[in-house]
Amino acid sequence: VVVMEISEFQRLMRNKLSDKDRQMGSAFLMNVLMEEVGELSRAIRKKTRTRVAEEIADVIFSTISIANLFDIQIEPILKRKYIDRPLSEISQRWTDVTWR
Ligand SMILES: [Mg+2]
């Protein structure tokens, strides 16, 4: 089993794609992300697990491209927002939306 940290994945993507990402620009990369989110949504509706897995990978890939374009290291932010905080704090905003 090959394990890769998010920071390592992001670094490899930056080496491979940062020139292309800069050429494409943030608006284009955002469109790609939205397209991939749409594909994930369709895969979830069809309940096809392998398709869902592929599209989750595409969404992460597209998101990391945007992070790299803005020179953002996402791993420490993920840790701060979702590992270091209690569940009640993480779900606070979702609960608000549900009860509105
Ligand atoms: Mg896709």
Side-chain angles (χ1 to χ4, degrees):
V1 179
V2 179
V3 177
M4 195 188 296
E5 290 180 354
I6 293 170
S7 56
E8 175 67 357
F9 178 76
Q10 189 170 358
R11 190 185 65 78
L12 292 170
M13 268 194 63
R14 190 185 314 112
N15 292 347
K16 197 169 184 172
L17 289 164
S18 65
D19 288 350
K20 265 274 175 280
D21 285 345
R22 246 191 306 278
Q23 271 175 37
M24 300 300 187
S26 58
F28 179 88
L29 293 178
M30 190 61 220
N31 281 339
V32 172
L33 174 58
M34 295 305 286
E35 215 172 291
E36 297 300 348
V37 168
E39 289 173 8
L40 174 58
S41 176
R42 283 191 289 282
I44 289 171
R45 270 205 307 277
K46 289 177 187 163
K47 297 189 187 338
T48 44
R49 188 172 178 278
T50 51
R51 206 60 224 162
V52 169
E54 296 290 327
E55 298 309 337
I56 287 173
D58 291 351
V59 167
I60 291 171
F61 173 84
S62 316
T63 306
I64 296 285
S65 272
I66 294 171
N68 281 341
L69 191 68
F70 284 87
D71 205 17
I72 292 163
Q73 298 296 314
I74 202 64
E75 196 169 82
I77 303 170
L78 284 171
K79 184 175 179 298
R80 172 171 56 75
K81 291 191 74 174
Y82 298 108
I83 305 296
D84 298 343
R85 287 160 73 209
L87 182 61
S88 59
E89 229 176 87
I90 294 170
S91 59
Q92 190 72 55
R93 285 171 56 200
W94 306 336
T95 309
D96 289 351
V97 169
T98 307
W99 286 93
R100 211 168 272 155

XYZ file of all heavy atoms in Angstrom:
827
model
N 0.847 -1.204 0.000
C 0.000 0.000 0.000
C 0.875 1.244 0.000
O 1.791 1.369 0.808
C -0.939 0.032 1.241
C -1.792 1.294 1.244
C -1.810 -1.217 1.275
N 0.613 2.133 -0.918
C 1.356 3.389 -0.989
C 0.574 4.471 -0.252
O -0.575 4.739 -0.570
C 1.585 3.837 -2.455
C 2.328 5.162 -2.494
C 2.329 2.767 -3.225
N 1.202 5.044 0.775
C 0.563 6.115 1.526
C 1.236 7.428 1.173
O 2.464 7.505 1.091
C 0.671 5.856 3.053
C 0.062 7.004 3.832
C -0.004 4.543 3.406
N 0.444 8.447 0.943
C 0.997 9.749 0.601
C 0.306 10.827 1.419
O -0.913 10.853 1.506
C 0.776 10.017 -0.893
C 1.597 11.156 -1.449
S 1.119 11.540 -3.140
C 1.571 10.018 -3.951
N 1.107 11.673 2.043
C 0.513 12.780 2.777
C -0.007 13.820 1.786
O 0.486 13.907 0.659
C 1.556 13.405 3.705
C 1.913 12.483 4.846
C 2.954 13.066 5.784
O 3.489 14.147 5.474
O 3.214 12.439 6.807
N -0.968 14.590 2.230
C -1.542 15.614 1.358
C -0.460 16.592 0.906
O -0.422 16.984 -0.263
C -2.694 16.355 2.081
C -3.857 15.384 2.292
C -3.150 17.579 1.300
C -4.943 15.907 3.202
N 0.430 16.948 1.838
C 1.492 17.902 1.501
C 2.399 17.358 0.400
O 2.840 18.098 -0.484
C 2.306 18.255 2.737
O 2.819 17.080 3.334
N 2.655 16.050 0.446
C 3.492 15.412 -0.567
C 2.768 15.360 -1.919
O 3.360 15.659 -2.956
C 3.879 14.002 -0.098
C 4.643 13.164 -1.101
C 6.045 13.677 -1.424
O 6.446 14.731 -0.922
O 6.727 13.005 -2.220
N 1.496 15.009 -1.881
C 0.688 15.002 -3.103
C 0.677 16.395 -3.732
O 0.864 16.550 -4.948
C -0.749 14.551 -2.777
C -1.664 14.553 -3.974
C -1.589 13.561 -4.928
C -2.600 15.565 -4.137
C -2.427 13.565 -6.034
C -3.447 15.579 -5.246
C -3.361 14.579 -6.187
N 0.490 17.404 -2.884
C 0.433 18.786 -3.362
C 1.764 19.203 -3.978
O 1.805 19.871 -5.010
C 0.044 19.713 -2.210
C -0.246 21.130 -2.665
C -0.859 22.006 -1.588
O -1.124 21.563 -0.469
N -1.101 23.248 -1.939
N 2.868 18.773 -3.357
C 4.193 19.112 -3.866
C 4.438 18.467 -5.241
O 4.914 19.124 -6.172
C 5.276 18.657 -2.880
C 6.672 19.153 -3.186
C 7.706 18.568 -2.226
N 7.838 17.117 -2.363
C 8.514 16.500 -3.349
N 9.130 17.213 -4.262
N 8.570 15.186 -3.405
N 4.068 17.200 -5.368
C 4.245 16.498 -6.640
C 3.397 17.125 -7.744
O 3.838 17.267 -8.883
C 3.895 15.009 -6.486
C 4.848 14.201 -5.609
C 4.271 12.816 -5.322
C 6.220 14.087 -6.259
N 2.172 17.522 -7.371
C 1.299 18.195 -8.345
C 1.867 19.534 -8.768
O 1.777 19.922 -9.931
C -0.098 18.389 -7.748
C -1.044 17.249 -8.056
S -2.753 17.724 -7.685
C -3.006 19.062 -8.850
N 2.445 20.248 -7.797
C 3.028 21.556 -8.108
C 4.180 21.388 -9.102
O 4.266 22.103 -10.099
C 3.506 22.258 -6.833
C 3.892 23.721 -7.061
C 4.487 24.404 -5.821
N 3.721 24.136 -4.617
C 4.149 23.397 -3.590
N 5.358 22.871 -3.599
N 3.396 23.206 -2.533
N 5.050 20.405 -8.839
C 6.173 20.143 -9.747
C 5.694 19.801 -11.152
O 6.292 20.211 -12.138
C 7.033 18.992 -9.213
C 7.768 19.364 -7.951
O 7.839 20.540 -7.597
N 8.293 18.376 -7.258
N 4.620 19.059 -11.206
C 4.143 18.548 -12.485
C 3.305 19.571 -13.240
O 3.326 19.625 -14.470
C 3.295 17.295 -12.195
C 3.051 16.392 -13.369
C 2.450 15.077 -12.879
C 2.276 14.114 -14.045
N 1.875 12.782 -13.579
N 2.528 20.382 -12.514
C 1.451 21.139 -13.164
C 1.443 22.652 -12.935
O 0.590 23.338 -13.496
C 0.097 20.588 -12.688
C -0.298 19.201 -13.201
C -1.422 18.648 -12.350
C -0.707 19.265 -14.654
N 2.363 23.171 -12.115
C 2.201 24.581 -11.739
C 2.271 25.530 -12.948
O 1.543 26.523 -13.004
C 3.211 24.990 -10.671
O 4.520 24.928 -11.195
N 3.123 25.200 -13.942
C 3.178 26.044 -15.143
C 1.846 26.026 -15.884
O 1.318 27.078 -16.268
C 4.296 25.575 -16.085
C 5.679 25.897 -15.538
O 5.766 26.651 -14.538
O 6.669 25.385 -16.104
N 1.317 24.811 -16.069
C 0.012 24.654 -16.739
C -1.090 25.372 -15.961
O -1.924 26.069 -16.553
C -0.351 23.168 -16.852
C 0.032 22.536 -18.167
C -1.072 22.749 -19.201
C -0.702 22.250 -20.585
N 0.162 23.193 -21.318
N -1.085 25.199 -14.622
C -2.112 25.824 -13.789
C -2.080 27.345 -13.942
O -3.122 27.993 -14.036
C -1.914 25.446 -12.308
C -2.361 24.013 -12.021
O -3.062 23.430 -12.868
O -1.996 23.489 -10.957
N -0.869 27.900 -13.971
C -0.738 29.351 -14.117
C -1.261 29.806 -15.481
O -1.926 30.830 -15.586
C 0.716 29.786 -13.929
C 0.916 30.644 -12.666
C 2.292 31.305 -12.622
N 3.364 30.327 -12.777
C 3.845 29.572 -11.778
N 3.370 29.728 -10.557
N 4.812 28.697 -11.989
N -0.939 29.024 -16.527
C -1.446 29.326 -17.873
C -2.971 29.338 -17.889
O -3.592 30.208 -18.508
C -0.977 28.256 -18.863
C 0.365 28.532 -19.528
C 0.785 27.347 -20.404
O -0.051 26.710 -21.047
N 2.068 27.040 -20.393
N -3.574 28.332 -17.253
C -5.033 28.186 -17.263
C -5.711 29.314 -16.484
O -6.736 29.825 -16.904
C -5.436 26.836 -16.646
C -4.886 25.615 -17.348
S -5.406 25.508 -19.069
C -4.770 23.911 -19.505
N -5.154 29.651 -15.340
C -5.709 30.720 -14.524
C -6.804 30.256 -13.595
O -7.379 29.169 -13.765
N -7.108 31.102 -12.608
C -8.024 30.705 -11.530
C -9.457 30.491 -12.024
O -10.139 29.579 -11.556
C -7.988 31.731 -10.402
O -8.338 33.004 -10.890
N -9.932 31.319 -12.965
C -11.317 31.175 -13.439
C -11.496 29.838 -14.149
O -12.491 29.131 -13.923
C -11.686 32.325 -14.379
N -10.523 29.470 -14.972
C -10.588 28.190 -15.665
C -10.552 27.029 -14.670
O -11.354 26.097 -14.759
C -9.433 28.054 -16.663
C -9.430 26.747 -17.408
C -10.139 26.617 -18.590
C -8.728 25.652 -16.913
C -10.148 25.399 -19.273
C -8.737 24.431 -17.587
C -9.441 24.309 -18.763
N -9.619 27.103 -13.713
C -9.485 26.022 -12.725
C -10.752 25.899 -11.885
O -11.149 24.796 -11.501
C -8.255 26.252 -11.841
C -6.898 26.153 -12.544
C -5.772 26.458 -11.567
C -6.699 24.784 -13.181
N -11.392 27.028 -11.615
C -12.657 27.001 -10.873
C -13.736 26.301 -11.702
O -14.527 25.510 -11.165
C -13.072 28.434 -10.515
C -14.233 28.528 -9.537
S -13.842 27.748 -7.950
C -15.389 26.942 -7.584
N -13.768 26.571 -13.006
C -14.721 25.881 -13.885
C -14.488 24.381 -13.895
O -15.444 23.594 -13.881
C -14.629 26.420 -15.319
C -15.360 27.735 -15.480
O -16.235 28.070 -14.698
N -14.982 28.488 -16.495
N -13.223 23.973 -13.938
C -12.889 22.548 -13.908
C -13.410 21.933 -12.612
O -14.043 20.873 -12.617
C -11.362 22.318 -14.036
C -11.010 20.855 -13.806
C -10.862 22.777 -15.405
N -13.164 22.621 -11.488
C -13.627 22.117 -10.193
C -15.153 21.955 -10.180
O -15.671 20.931 -9.733
C -13.162 23.050 -9.064
C -13.696 22.741 -7.664
C -13.324 21.326 -7.212
C -13.176 23.761 -6.653
N -15.861 22.966 -10.689
C -17.327 22.897 -10.713
C -17.815 21.731 -11.570
O -18.781 21.046 -11.216
C -17.923 24.213 -11.241
C -17.662 25.416 -10.352
S -18.204 25.183 -8.647
C -19.972 25.327 -8.870
N -17.114 21.517 -12.702
C -17.457 20.398 -13.562
C -17.275 19.073 -12.831
O -18.127 18.183 -12.900
C -16.544 20.450 -14.799
C -17.185 19.989 -16.080
C -16.276 20.262 -17.260
O -16.091 21.453 -17.582
O -15.735 19.296 -17.829
N -16.161 18.965 -12.108
C -15.876 17.725 -11.375
C -16.863 17.520 -10.230
O -17.260 16.390 -9.947
C -14.435 17.720 -10.854
C -13.358 17.745 -11.934
C -13.419 16.553 -12.896
O -14.135 15.572 -12.628
O -12.746 16.623 -13.935
N -17.268 18.597 -9.581
C -18.283 18.500 -8.520
C -19.591 17.988 -9.121
O -20.271 17.138 -8.530
C -18.485 19.859 -7.808
C -19.721 19.843 -6.916
C -17.259 20.209 -6.972
N -19.934 18.474 -10.305
C -21.123 17.996 -11.011
C -21.044 16.513 -11.316
O -22.022 15.772 -11.148
N -19.874 16.063 -11.772
C -19.675 14.644 -12.072
C -19.782 13.796 -10.805
O -20.362 12.705 -10.821
C -18.311 14.429 -12.754
C -18.285 14.978 -14.165
C -16.896 14.922 -14.807
O -15.981 14.317 -14.228
O -16.750 15.507 -15.902
N -19.253 14.316 -9.683
C -19.362 13.618 -8.399
C -20.828 13.502 -7.991
O -21.290 12.445 -7.545
C -18.554 14.349 -7.317
C -18.677 13.812 -5.886
C -18.256 12.346 -5.799
C -17.838 14.658 -4.920
N -21.568 14.587 -8.174
C -22.981 14.602 -7.832
C -23.751 13.546 -8.636
O -24.565 12.798 -8.074
C -23.554 16.000 -8.109
O -24.932 16.013 -7.878
N -23.467 13.451 -9.927
C -24.136 12.448 -10.769
C -23.758 11.033 -10.354
O -24.619 10.147 -10.305
C -23.794 12.681 -12.243
C -24.566 13.847 -12.849
C -24.431 13.903 -14.356
N -23.097 14.306 -14.800
C -22.651 15.571 -14.793
N -23.434 16.555 -14.352
N -21.452 15.869 -15.216
N -22.476 10.824 -10.016
C -22.017 9.492 -9.586
C -22.712 9.076 -8.289
O -23.092 7.920 -8.117
C -20.503 9.493 -9.408
N -22.888 10.048 -7.375
C -23.564 9.758 -6.102
C -25.030 9.395 -6.359
O -25.552 8.447 -5.777
C -23.441 10.961 -5.136
C -21.994 11.076 -4.629
C -24.417 10.833 -3.977
C -21.686 12.333 -3.845
N -25.684 10.142 -7.264
C -27.092 9.848 -7.591
C -27.247 8.443 -8.153
O -28.213 7.745 -7.854
C -27.644 10.871 -8.590
C -28.273 12.091 -7.930
C -29.303 12.762 -8.824
N -28.781 13.075 -10.144
C -28.065 14.169 -10.435
N -27.808 15.047 -9.498
N -27.633 14.388 -11.656
N -26.264 8.039 -8.989
C -26.327 6.708 -9.607
C -25.844 5.610 -8.659
O -25.927 4.425 -8.980
C -25.481 6.677 -10.886
C -26.089 7.473 -12.019
C -25.169 7.461 -13.241
C -25.689 8.387 -14.329
N -24.625 8.703 -15.316
N -25.291 6.026 -7.501
C -24.786 5.087 -6.494
C -23.742 4.117 -7.056
O -23.718 2.935 -6.687
C -25.947 4.318 -5.850
C -26.932 5.203 -5.078
C -27.893 4.349 -4.301
C -29.031 5.076 -3.624
N -28.894 6.480 -3.335
N -22.909 4.597 -7.966
C -21.846 3.743 -8.493
C -20.552 4.060 -7.749
O -19.933 5.096 -7.967
C -21.640 3.975 -10.008
O -21.649 5.384 -10.265
C -22.733 3.313 -10.815
N -20.174 3.141 -6.842
C -19.088 3.385 -5.896
C -17.754 3.686 -6.588
O -17.038 4.603 -6.169
C -18.943 2.174 -4.979
C -17.976 2.397 -3.836
C -18.025 1.244 -2.846
N -17.055 1.458 -1.786
C -15.760 1.155 -1.894
N -15.288 0.647 -3.019
N -14.933 1.392 -0.889
N -17.402 2.930 -7.622
C -16.117 3.160 -8.295
C -16.104 4.532 -8.967
O -15.090 5.215 -8.970
C -15.823 2.087 -9.373
O -16.948 1.969 -10.242
C -15.536 0.745 -8.745
N -17.243 4.933 -9.527
C -17.373 6.241 -10.174
C -17.242 7.358 -9.124
O -16.587 8.363 -9.361
C -18.734 6.286 -10.873
C -18.863 7.202 -12.048
C -17.921 6.884 -13.172
N -17.360 8.141 -13.648
C -16.254 8.249 -14.378
N -15.591 7.194 -14.722
N -15.823 9.425 -14.756
N -17.895 7.148 -7.966
C -17.801 8.122 -6.870
C -16.340 8.298 -6.467
O -15.855 9.428 -6.297
C -18.670 7.692 -5.654
C -18.359 8.548 -4.425
C -20.156 7.789 -5.994
N -15.620 7.176 -6.352
C -14.202 7.228 -5.969
C -13.392 8.040 -6.981
O -12.587 8.905 -6.600
C -13.649 5.808 -5.850
N -13.617 7.774 -8.274
C -12.896 8.499 -9.332
C -13.172 9.994 -9.271
O -12.258 10.824 -9.419
C -13.333 7.987 -10.729
C -12.982 6.541 -11.011
C -11.488 6.317 -11.186
O -10.827 7.231 -11.708
O -10.992 5.251 -10.784
N -14.426 10.350 -9.033
C -14.804 11.763 -9.053
C -14.329 12.504 -7.802
O -14.000 13.680 -7.871
C -16.318 11.919 -9.247
C -16.833 11.361 -10.581
C -16.074 11.866 -11.805
O -15.442 12.933 -11.755
O -16.093 11.158 -12.830
N -14.279 11.788 -6.649
C -13.696 12.393 -5.445
C -12.237 12.738 -5.725
O -11.762 13.831 -5.390
C -13.824 11.454 -4.219
C -15.275 11.421 -3.732
C -12.898 11.917 -3.084
C -15.535 10.393 -2.637
N -11.524 11.821 -6.392
C -10.125 12.076 -6.753
C -10.028 13.305 -7.662
O -9.148 14.159 -7.479
C -9.527 10.850 -7.438
N -10.933 13.415 -8.628
C -10.923 14.560 -9.551
C -11.172 15.878 -8.807
O -10.555 16.901 -9.112
C -11.988 14.388 -10.645
C -11.637 13.264 -11.620
O -10.508 12.741 -11.558
O -12.506 12.921 -12.446
N -12.105 15.843 -7.845
C -12.425 17.057 -7.077
C -11.209 17.492 -6.249
O -10.853 18.677 -6.218
C -13.660 16.837 -6.169
C -13.810 17.967 -5.152
C -14.925 16.714 -7.019
N -10.553 16.514 -5.607
C -9.361 16.832 -4.810
C -8.256 17.370 -5.707
O -7.630 18.399 -5.410
C -8.885 15.582 -4.019
C -9.907 15.244 -2.927
C -7.503 15.823 -3.395
C -9.651 13.917 -2.228
N -8.043 16.718 -6.837
C -7.036 17.136 -7.816
C -7.287 18.588 -8.261
O -6.375 19.422 -8.243
C -7.093 16.175 -9.014
C -6.241 16.559 -10.183
C -4.904 16.215 -10.220
C -6.797 17.240 -11.264
C -4.109 16.565 -11.323
C -6.018 17.590 -12.367
C -4.664 17.252 -12.385
N -8.528 18.898 -8.626
C -8.856 20.252 -9.098
C -8.684 21.281 -7.990
O -8.253 22.411 -8.239
C -10.306 20.316 -9.596
O -10.620 19.206 -10.379
N -9.052 20.894 -6.780
C -8.943 21.804 -5.640
C -7.478 22.104 -5.311
O -7.120 23.257 -5.034
C -9.647 21.203 -4.399
O -10.986 20.859 -4.741
C -9.661 22.194 -3.245
N -6.647 21.069 -5.380
C -5.219 21.250 -5.090
C -4.567 22.171 -6.129
O -3.683 22.967 -5.808
C -4.490 19.881 -5.026
C -5.010 19.027 -3.870
C -2.979 20.069 -4.925
C -4.569 19.421 -2.490
N -5.012 22.082 -7.376
C -4.499 22.987 -8.413
C -4.745 24.444 -8.028
O -3.871 25.299 -8.200
C -5.175 22.714 -9.769
O -4.469 21.726 -10.478
N -5.934 24.701 -7.520
C -6.278 26.068 -7.107
C -5.425 26.476 -5.908
O -4.896 27.591 -5.864
C -7.791 26.182 -6.785
C -8.608 25.975 -8.074
C -8.113 27.544 -6.160
C -10.100 25.838 -7.862
N -5.261 25.570 -4.951
C -4.410 25.855 -3.789
C -2.992 26.204 -4.242
O -2.409 27.191 -3.773
C -4.389 24.656 -2.840
N -2.468 25.428 -5.168
C -1.104 25.686 -5.668
C -1.003 27.017 -6.388
O -0.013 27.735 -6.249
C -0.647 24.545 -6.585
C -0.187 23.334 -5.803
O 0.117 23.430 -4.621
N -0.153 22.196 -6.460
N -2.028 27.353 -7.147
C -2.028 28.623 -7.871
C -1.925 29.801 -6.901
O -1.271 30.804 -7.180
C -3.304 28.738 -8.716
C -3.335 29.875 -9.732
C -2.329 29.631 -10.843
C -4.730 30.032 -10.320
N -2.579 29.665 -5.742
C -2.549 30.721 -4.728
C -1.420 30.517 -3.713
O -1.355 31.221 -2.711
C -3.899 30.808 -4.012
C -4.962 31.486 -4.830
C -5.737 30.762 -5.725
C -5.180 32.852 -4.729
C -6.711 31.383 -6.504
C -6.150 33.484 -5.492
C -6.915 32.746 -6.389
N -0.574 29.519 -3.982
C 0.564 29.222 -3.118
C 0.121 28.944 -1.675
O 0.675 29.482 -0.713
C 1.557 30.391 -3.169
C 2.979 29.953 -2.838
O 3.240 28.726 -2.884
O 3.813 30.808 -2.512
N -0.919 28.121 -1.564
C -1.487 27.772 -0.258
C -1.114 26.337 0.092
O -1.342 25.428 -0.712
C -3.036 27.899 -0.286
C -3.448 29.365 -0.426
C -3.659 27.270 0.953
C -4.879 29.553 -0.866
N -0.531 26.144 1.287
C -0.291 24.803 1.822
C -1.553 24.380 2.558
O -1.879 24.930 3.603
C 0.903 24.814 2.787
C 2.228 25.217 2.147
C 2.659 24.226 1.081
O 2.607 23.020 1.295
N 3.078 24.736 -0.076
N -2.256 23.405 2.008
C -3.582 23.092 2.536
C -3.551 22.191 3.775
O -4.471 22.235 4.605
C -4.483 22.500 1.413
C -5.958 22.659 1.759
C -4.142 21.055 1.121
C -6.437 24.077 1.863
N -2.503 21.387 3.923
C -2.480 20.403 5.022
C -2.602 21.028 6.423
O -3.443 20.596 7.219
C -1.226 19.527 4.925
C -1.322 18.283 5.768
C -0.207 17.290 5.462
O 0.895 17.472 6.000
O -0.429 16.363 4.682
N -1.803 22.055 6.751
C -1.954 22.645 8.092
C -3.321 23.300 8.317
O -3.816 23.323 9.447
C -0.833 23.689 8.164
C -0.332 23.860 6.773
C -0.681 22.633 6.008
N -3.934 23.792 7.241
C -5.258 24.412 7.377
C -6.320 23.346 7.631
O -7.212 23.525 8.475
C -5.596 25.250 6.119
C -4.510 26.303 5.877
C -6.960 25.925 6.275
C -4.615 27.014 4.553
N -6.208 22.223 6.918
C -7.124 21.099 7.160
C -7.009 20.620 8.602
O -8.019 20.362 9.265
C -6.801 19.939 6.208
C -7.251 20.097 4.761
C -6.659 18.984 3.905
C -8.773 20.094 4.653
N -5.755 20.530 9.081
C -5.529 20.075 10.453
C -6.164 21.037 11.447
O -6.883 20.623 12.352
C -4.033 19.931 10.723
C -3.720 19.372 12.101
C -2.232 19.127 12.271
C -1.919 18.581 13.654
N -2.261 19.474 14.763
N -5.910 22.336 11.260
C -6.446 23.345 12.175
C -7.977 23.339 12.183
O -8.607 23.409 13.225
C -5.918 24.736 11.788
C -6.566 25.883 12.568
C -5.891 27.231 12.325
N -5.813 27.650 10.942
C -6.862 28.125 10.235
N -8.056 28.218 10.777
N -6.692 28.504 8.975
N -8.585 23.232 10.981
C -10.034 23.374 10.888
C -10.797 22.101 11.240
O -11.912 22.169 11.753
C -10.427 23.803 9.472
C -10.001 25.223 9.132
C -10.626 25.701 7.843
C -12.102 26.025 8.053
N -12.711 26.631 6.855
N -10.209 20.915 10.945
C -11.001 19.689 11.052
C -10.447 18.630 11.994
O -11.166 17.705 12.371
C -11.220 19.101 9.657
C -12.007 20.052 8.785
C -11.391 20.744 7.745
C -13.350 20.298 9.043
C -12.106 21.645 6.974
C -14.072 21.198 8.285
C -13.441 21.863 7.243
O -14.143 22.748 6.502
N -9.168 18.765 12.376
C -8.619 17.788 13.316
C -8.538 18.384 14.718
O -8.929 17.754 15.690
C -7.204 17.313 12.867
C -7.238 16.771 11.442
C -6.643 16.277 13.851
C -8.079 15.536 11.240
N -8.075 19.624 14.802
C -7.822 20.243 16.101
C -9.082 20.814 16.767
O -9.028 21.222 17.914
C -6.775 21.360 15.957
C -5.433 20.812 15.478
O -5.235 19.587 15.575
O -4.598 21.606 15.008
N -10.198 20.874 16.055
C -11.419 21.434 16.633
C -12.396 20.321 17.026
O -12.447 19.282 16.381
C -12.106 22.359 15.630
C -11.386 23.679 15.425
C -11.784 24.332 14.119
N -13.136 24.874 14.177
C -13.930 24.984 13.103
N -13.504 24.584 11.936
N -15.124 25.503 13.208
N -13.204 20.570 18.069
C -14.199 19.565 18.460
C -15.303 19.461 17.399
O -15.573 20.409 16.671
C -14.758 20.117 19.767
C -14.477 21.577 19.743
C -13.226 21.747 18.933
N -15.923 18.302 17.333
C -16.960 18.029 16.344
C -18.091 19.061 16.390
O -18.604 19.492 15.360
C -17.519 16.613 16.561
C -18.583 16.135 15.580
C -18.023 16.097 14.161
C -19.091 14.767 15.972
N -18.451 19.472 17.622
C -19.559 20.423 17.787
C -19.265 21.736 17.067
O -20.147 22.366 16.501
C -19.804 20.680 19.268
O -18.627 21.194 19.873
N -17.993 22.122 17.083
C -17.590 23.373 16.421
C -17.568 23.216 14.902
O -17.974 24.115 14.175
C -16.192 23.772 16.911
C -16.060 25.205 17.366
C -14.665 25.462 17.910
O -13.778 25.784 17.109
O -14.478 25.299 19.132
N -17.093 22.050 14.453
C -17.017 21.778 13.017
C -18.409 21.765 12.405
O -18.634 22.316 11.331
C -16.318 20.421 12.749
C -14.846 20.480 13.176
C -16.439 20.032 11.274
C -14.149 19.132 13.166
N -19.353 21.145 13.088
C -20.689 20.944 12.517
C -21.618 22.123 12.794
O -22.745 22.142 12.316
C -21.303 19.653 13.061
O -21.394 19.726 14.462
N -21.139 23.123 13.548
C -21.974 24.260 13.942
C -22.698 24.890 12.756
O -23.898 25.068 12.768
C -21.098 25.317 14.636
C -21.882 26.442 15.308
C -22.582 25.961 16.568
O -21.937 25.429 17.452
N -23.889 26.102 16.633
N -21.929 25.209 11.724
C -22.511 25.928 10.585
C -23.471 25.050 9.791
O -24.472 25.523 9.286
C -21.404 26.476 9.685
C -20.742 27.708 10.315
C -19.515 28.144 9.563
N -19.791 28.394 8.161
C -18.857 28.409 7.208
N -17.619 28.156 7.515
N -19.184 28.667 5.975
N -23.172 23.743 9.690
C -24.077 22.845 8.968
C -25.401 22.751 9.724
O -26.464 22.744 9.114
C -23.475 21.441 8.834
C -22.122 21.427 8.215
C -21.602 22.380 7.380
C -21.108 20.443 8.375
N -20.331 22.031 7.008
C -19.994 20.858 7.604
C -21.043 19.250 9.087
C -18.825 20.099 7.535
C -19.876 18.507 9.008
C -18.780 18.927 8.245
N -25.299 22.684 11.054
C -26.512 22.597 11.876
C -27.379 23.828 11.670
O -28.587 23.725 11.509
C -26.135 22.461 13.375
O -25.191 21.411 13.510
C -27.347 22.175 14.214
N -26.729 24.991 11.623
C -27.454 26.237 11.399
C -28.256 26.172 10.102
O -29.420 26.540 10.057
C -26.495 27.435 11.324
C -25.914 27.758 12.702
O -26.398 27.164 13.692
O -25.005 28.580 12.779
N -27.583 25.685 9.035
C -28.238 25.613 7.722
C -29.426 24.674 7.779
O -30.502 24.979 7.281
C -27.233 25.145 6.626
C -27.962 24.820 5.349
C -26.191 26.224 6.383
N -29.251 23.531 8.451
C -30.311 22.520 8.548
C -31.546 23.073 9.247
O -32.673 22.788 8.859
C -29.795 21.276 9.315
O -28.594 20.837 8.706
C -30.828 20.156 9.283
N -31.323 23.894 10.281
C -32.433 24.358 11.111
C -33.037 25.682 10.645
O -34.016 26.139 11.193
C -32.010 24.464 12.575
C -31.885 23.111 13.191
C -30.763 22.345 13.276
C -32.945 22.336 13.755
N -31.041 21.150 13.865
C -32.360 21.111 14.180
C -34.309 22.558 13.958
C -33.136 20.119 14.780
C -35.056 21.560 14.566
C -34.482 20.366 14.973
N -32.452 26.274 9.639
C -32.953 27.561 9.168
C -34.286 27.413 8.459
O -34.548 26.393 7.834
C -31.912 28.199 8.201
C -31.958 29.706 8.267
C -30.757 30.317 7.564
N -29.627 30.457 8.500
C -28.339 30.484 8.110
N -28.021 30.346 6.870
N -27.403 30.648 9.006
Mg -14.289 13.672 -13.389
